């Protein structure tokens, strides 16, 4: 197999893993969030569903990589779709954070939810790094943008865990939504850069 074919095959495996992982995340987080009444866990689950859609877009993009005539067209469409998914995620995090602040909603403890967030915090940075290596080999800005969304999943897991810890230790219920609001400009920036066709793919890896 050529270097490009090998990278494309690895990229497909990474995206299949991404979709499967995020479907599992969504099911566990939404179920635990509903049982525990945790807005933070529900938000984490909905974020996972957004990432599933992004993963689906990248699977389409990678499957089209064999067709050199369509490759660039599909790449640009995929990049814009990932950009829109990031903007949707930014809007959701912003709305959820504002509602949590207004209602003074503290994150509820859920052992399965905490375990899920810890697993994501470990797995997602590794997955994002692997995606960036493939993006560099393929020259795919869409896959690079998708790797940033995977990074954001890790950030949200860290925010969830930090919110649970500080609320339990000090009663700082507001940490989770405030941290979410701080992240919104970063997520929106990544989305806008993707829509403009500007990513750091040439430097990724």
């Amino acid at each position: 197999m050529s270097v490009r074919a090998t990278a494309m095959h690895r990229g497909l495996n990474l995206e299949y893993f991404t979709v499967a992982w995020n479907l599992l995340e969504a099911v566990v987080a939404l179920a635990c969030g509903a049982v525990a009444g945790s807005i933070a866990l529900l938000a984490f689950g909905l974020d996972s569903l957004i990432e599933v859609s992004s993963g689906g877009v990248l699977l389409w993009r990678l499957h089209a990589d064999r067709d050199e005539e369509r490759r660039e067209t599909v790449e640009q469409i995929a990049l814009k779709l990932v950009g829109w998914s990031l903007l949707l995620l930014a809007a959701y995090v912003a709305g959820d954070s504002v509602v949590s602040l207004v209602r003074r909603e503290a994150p509820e403890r859920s052992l399965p939810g905490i375990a899920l967030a810890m697993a994501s915090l470990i797995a997602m940075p590794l997955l994002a790094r692997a995606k960036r290596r493939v993006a560099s080999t393929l020259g795919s800005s869409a896959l690079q943008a998708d790797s940033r969304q995977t990074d954001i999943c890790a950030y949200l897991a860290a925010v969830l865990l930090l919110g649970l810890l500080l609320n339990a230790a000090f009663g700082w219920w507001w940490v989770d939504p405030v941290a979410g609001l701080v992240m919104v400009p970063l997520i929106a920036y990544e989305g806008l850069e993707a829509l403009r066709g500007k990513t750091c793919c040439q430097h990724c890896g």
Side-chain angles (χ1 to χ4, degrees), residues 94-201:
D96 176 71
S97 298
V98 169
V99 169
S100 295
L101 284 171
V102 170
R103 295 181 178 177
R104 299 176 64 87
E105 291 172 333
E108 298 293 333
R109 278 171 285 184
S110 165
L111 291 180
I114 292 171
L116 175 66
M118 291 178 67
S120 294
L121 189 56
I122 295 169
M124 290 300 101
L126 298 175
L127 181 59
R129 191 175 303 120
K131 287 182 181 183
R132 280 192 284 276
R133 292 195 190 100
V134 175
S136 180
T137 301
L138 297 178
S140 174
S141 295
L143 185 55
Q144 166 67 13
D146 182 64
S147 78
R148 296 298 298 141
Q149 185 146 294
T150 304
D151 278 329
I152 289 166
C153 178
Y155 299 155
L156 290 175
V159 166
L160 175 60
L161 289 172
L162 183 65
L164 288 168
L165 178 63
L166 293 179
N167 183 59
F170 306 108
W172 292 357
W173 60 270
W174 45 266
V175 169
D176 186 87
V178 168
L181 286 175
V182 169
M183 286 181 59
V184 167
L186 169 65
I187 303 171
Y189 173 79
E190 295 290 345
L192 290 172
E193 289 293 280
L195 288 176
R196 293 170 184 154
K198 299 176 181 179
T199 70
C200 56
C201 187

Side-chain angles (χ1 to χ4, degrees), residues 11-161:
L12 283 170
N13 288 337
L14 290 171
E15 289 302 333
Y16 279 124
F17 178 81
T18 297
V19 170
W21 179 282
N22 281 291
L23 281 174
L24 177 63
E25 266 191 355
V27 170
V28 174
L30 291 173
C32 292
V35 171
S38 171
I39 298 297
L41 272 175
L42 291 173
F44 194 64
L46 290 172
D47 160 63
S48 297
L49 291 178
I50 293 173
E51 290 187 63
V52 168
S53 68
S54 180
V57 168
L58 263 296
L59 286 173
W60 170 64
R61 157 64 184 93
L62 291 167
H63 276 296
D65 195 75
R66 297 183 182 93
D67 188 340
E68 292 186 21
E69 293 183 1
R70 294 180 58 233
R71 184 185 295 161
E72 185 56 32
T73 299
V74 172
E75 169 73 19
Q76 293 305 313
I77 295 172
L79 182 57
K80 285 181 170 52
L81 289 174
V82 173
W84 281 114
S85 74
L86 284 163
L87 291 179
L88 176 62
L89 177 58
Y92 182 81
V93 171
D96 176 71
S97 298
V98 169
V99 169
S100 295
L101 284 171
V102 170
R103 295 181 178 177
R104 299 176 64 87
E105 291 172 333
E108 298 293 333
R109 278 171 285 184
S110 165
L111 291 180
I114 292 171
L116 175 66
M118 291 178 67
S120 294
L121 189 56
I122 295 169
M124 290 300 101
L126 298 175
L127 181 59
R129 191 175 303 120
K131 287 182 181 183
R132 280 192 284 276
R133 292 195 190 100
V134 175
S136 180
T137 301
L138 297 178
S140 174
S141 295
L143 185 55
Q144 166 67 13
D146 182 64
S147 78
R148 296 298 298 141
Q149 185 146 294
T150 304
D151 278 329
I152 289 166
C153 178
Y155 299 155
L156 290 175
V159 166
L160 175 60
L161 289 172

